[in-house]
Amino acid sequence: MATEHSVLIRDNIHGLDVFVDDPRVKIVSMNATAGVLADPQTFLSFASDLHGQAASISRQAQEVILLLNYALMRPEPVAQIVFAISAVEMLGQQETWTESQKHLLAELAVSAETSSLGSEEERLEVADAIKKNLHRLSLRQGVLRLFERLDLAHLKGKWDSVYAERSRLVHGLAPRPGANYSELAQKAVSLCGYILLKALAAELPIASRYTDEFYKLP
């Protein structure tokens, strides 16, 4: 036993230790966690390449990157799944109707106004709803439109598969106690990261060089 600054430090005993009940007695307990990290050179090289270009990206691109980074920083697999998929859905909601579809909606508004069905007030309400674009692209429509724009239509099957698992998890079927969602989180983050880097490459072409390196799809 050593005495220092009126503190009695007990020796490391592997077994039963009996000592006087004294408030000065302290038992030292140490705990260490070691982590094996990937070679940082790839990341540092990527960061260096982007340093001079990242400031010029749009606010939309910044928000998508922040949401993806937030997903990557979550220690909980369920949170990673939700935030990664939400980032893609958010980007998909920036997609709009084509010009032909906009003309069609305008014609539908006129048809509603001039229809003989319902009262004049009812017809105007329907026409006004069409004009105000209440029929926005759904989340799924937005994502599929995003795939088409990025030439990623071949990922539709993978997206549907991951999204179906995500829906079973989120809608009514809460995370089961003890269930391990790490595999699903890995699939969701890899797929969404791949999509988002492809989208980012439209503003930062250099990002396309790292898409397959950071997010390899099976």
Side-chain angles (χ1 to χ4, degrees):
M1 180 182 295
T3 303
E4 185 178 357
H5 302 300
S6 299
V7 174
L8 304 178
I9 301 177
R10 300 296 300 175
D11 291 333
N12 184 17
I13 302 297
H14 294 277
L16 180 64
D17 185 19
V18 180
F19 53 90
V20 176
D21 186 8
D22 190 318
R24 295 177 300 161
V25 173
K26 302 296 180 183
I27 300 175
V28 178
S29 176
M30 301 180 66
N31 183 34
T33 301
V36 179
L37 305 179
D39 183 353
Q41 188 54 44
T42 300
F43 168 76
L44 294 176
S45 175
F46 185 40
S48 177
D49 290 341
L50 288 178
H51 179 70
Q53 305 177 41
S56 63
I57 64 175
S58 67
R59 181 177 180 82
Q60 173 188 315
Q62 293 177 28
E63 292 174 348
V64 169
I65 293 172
L66 285 174
L67 193 53
L68 175 60
N69 284 341
Y70 192 77
L72 293 172
M73 293 171 64
R74 297 302 89 196
E76 308 87 1
V78 173
Q80 292 179 352
I81 295 165
V82 171
F83 282 107
I85 290 178
S86 294
V88 175
E89 289 181 324
M90 184 178 78
L91 194 59
Q93 284 301 286
Q94 305 301 319
E95 300 295 315
T96 60
W97 298 109
T98 65
E99 288 303 315
S100 296
Q101 289 173 321
K102 290 178 181 178
H103 287 310
L104 179 58
L105 287 171
E107 290 180 6
L108 289 174
V110 173
S111 296
E113 290 176 338
T114 59
S115 174
S116 60
L117 297 176
S119 66
E120 180 180 2
E121 182 178 348
E122 290 173 328
R123 293 194 295 270
L124 291 177
E125 284 181 349
V126 172
D128 188 52
I130 296 174
K131 291 176 181 178
K132 289 182 177 178
N133 199 23
L134 293 184
H135 300 282
R136 296 189 59 182
L137 292 175
S138 68
L139 290 176
R140 177 174 170 75
Q141 284 177 314
V143 170
L144 295 182
R145 186 70 60 82
L146 176 66
F147 285 178
E148 292 176 7
R149 180 168 63 82
L150 299 177
D151 195 24
L152 297 177
H154 60 283
L155 294 182
K156 177 179 175 295
K158 292 182 183 295
W159 174 264
D160 287 344
S161 176
V162 170
Y163 200 87
E165 292 187 67
R166 172 262 183 200
S167 296
R168 284 194 293 271
L169 170 64
V170 174
H171 298 300
L173 300 177
R176 300 186 303 275
N180 187 350
Y181 294 97
S182 298
E183 183 178 352
L184 177 57
Q186 175 64 30
K187 289 194 295 185
V189 170
S190 295
L191 177 60
C192 294
Y194 185 91
I195 295 167
L196 294 171
L197 276 190
K198 285 292 187 182
L200 181 61
E203 296 188 32
L204 288 175
I206 193 174
S208 62
R209 288 167 41 189
Y210 297 93
T211 304
D212 292 318
E213 186 170 357
F214 289 160
Y215 299 104
K216 292 182 179 180
L217 298 180

